[in-house]
Amino acid sequence: MRTDDARPPTPEPGTGATGAAEIHADGVRCTRDGHIARVTIDRPHVLNAVDPAAHARLREIWAGIEADPDVRAVVLTGAGQRSFCTGADMSAGAVAASGLEYWAGLDPDGFGALALRTTLDVPVIARVNGYALGGGMELVLGCDIVIAAEHASFGLTEPRVGRIPLDGGVAQLLRRLPHTQAMGMLLTGRRAPAAEMHRIGLVNEVAAEGELDAAVDRWTADVLACAPTSLRAIKQMARASAGLSPREAHALRTPALVAALDSEDAVEGVRAFREKRAPRWPGR
């Protein structure tokens, strides 16, 4: 959810990666680059805040990726250089809704249909190029790997305008960070710089100015170097084992785990190791 506190005083110029004239009607672009799906919230004129049309498009995109076994990694970002996402677009009508009305209409998969999603087994990398506030922070919490520009900032700022981060913020932050670190953010609504988020473990890497894409490409290449079936199994196991003891987690038999153990990827991995070459993953 986005709040007035989350919006910086100067609006983002309408110059996304494809230019203002090419912004899609629903405000979200999804492009394919080999086995990589690149998802861009393209509404820089409102700092990539998400309106109902953009939310609906994001839900369609995640469902499409889930149905496409050829997608092996996802990079999620915002257009421009100032904002990843600043949450729900309050100018799109959400500001008129009461807190109870907003709560009643929440997507069960969380903000952007991603923050609480439990069916997306493909690794998702957040390319945080600026403000990740309110719902934007919740989108980050729905990703697996977080790479941030050094000028990026993070925060669940809803309490500062009398709202609550209900779209995954409270639930996910308490699972991602130590209790005092999470509560320190939740109970102040403050913004935190990328360096601090890296120090406390929410961000994998902070990239210097001009080096964000190189850092994301490096992490993406490392993901693609792994067997897709193995990564799907790991994501399912990580999700299903939350809250379980190590022995209970060890006993899990998820569908993706069984498939990975009996996959062509498993055969190719051993063969490539023996032949001293890079594997060519079939992805099945």
Side-chain angles (χ1 to χ4, degrees):
M1 179 178 176
R2 177 167 167 263
T3 68
D4 289 342
D5 180 70
R7 180 195 282 270
T10 305
E12 172 78 346
T15 54
T18 59
E22 296 181 35
I23 293 176
H24 291 200
D26 55 27
V28 183
R29 290 184 282 113
C30 182
T31 60
R32 284 287 295 276
D33 177 10
H35 293 296
I36 306 167
R38 300 186 184 275
V39 180
T40 304
I41 302 171
D42 197 351
R43 308 187 77 237
H45 56 295
V46 287
L47 294 168
N48 297 321
V50 172
D51 65 359
H55 181 95
R57 177 59 180 144
L58 284 167
R59 170 164 281 284
E60 292 176 355
I61 287 171
W62 306 134
I65 289 172
E66 289 174 357
D68 187 351
D70 202 40
V71 175
R72 301 180 182 179
V74 178
V75 176
L76 173 64
T77 194
Q81 298 180 346
R82 291 184 58 206
S83 180
F84 173 77
C85 175
T86 52
D89 185 357
M90 304 302 279
S91 66
V95 71
S98 70
L100 287 173
E101 288 170 334
Y102 186 88
W103 186 31
L106 291 178
D107 190 316
D109 287 327
F111 193 83
L114 179 66
L116 296 170
R117 198 173 192 89
T118 60
T119 52
L120 184 58
D121 295 332
V122 178
V124 181
I125 299 173
R127 175 189 177 275
V128 185
N129 52 313
Y131 302 111
L133 305 175
M137 175 74 163
E138 291 171 322
L139 280 177
V140 169
L141 292 169
C143 296
D144 304 299
I145 296 170
V146 181
I147 314 301
E150 59 185 357
H151 67 273
S153 60
F154 301 75
L156 292 166
T157 52
E158 289 88 344
R160 297 210 170 195
V161 293
R163 294 296 179 99
I164 303 167
L166 294 171
D167 263 346
V170 175
Q172 289 282 50
L173 198 67
L174 286 166
R175 288 161 175 76
R176 293 293 188 93
L177 295 179
H179 180 83
T180 52
Q181 298 285 3
M183 295 303 285
M185 295 192 70
L186 289 166
L187 296 181
T188 63
R190 70 182 184 89
R191 301 179 192 174
E196 179 181 345
M197 292 293 94
H198 181 258
R199 178 178 59 80
I200 63 178
L202 190 68
V203 169
N204 295 85
E205 181 178 343
V206 177
E209 183 176 358
E211 297 180 7
L212 180 60
D213 287 330
V216 170
D217 289 346
R218 185 173 65 252
W219 280 86
T220 304
D222 284 343
V223 168
L224 294 179
C226 299
T229 51
S230 295
L231 298 187
R232 287 195 289 269
I234 289 169
K235 278 201 68 170
Q236 278 195 8
M237 292 172 66
R239 191 165 54 236
S241 63
L244 299 181
S245 70
R247 183 176 291 273
E248 290 168 333
H250 181 261
L252 285 173
R253 300 293 184 267
T254 68
L257 169 60
V258 175
L261 294 175
D262 190 32
S263 66
E264 293 179 35
D265 281 350
V267 175
E268 166 63 8
V270 173
R271 181 184 296 120
F273 178 79
R274 289 174 175 170
E275 295 174 0
K276 296 180 171 52
R277 60 172 175 80
R280 296 182 290 272
W281 303 119
R284 57 188 182 272

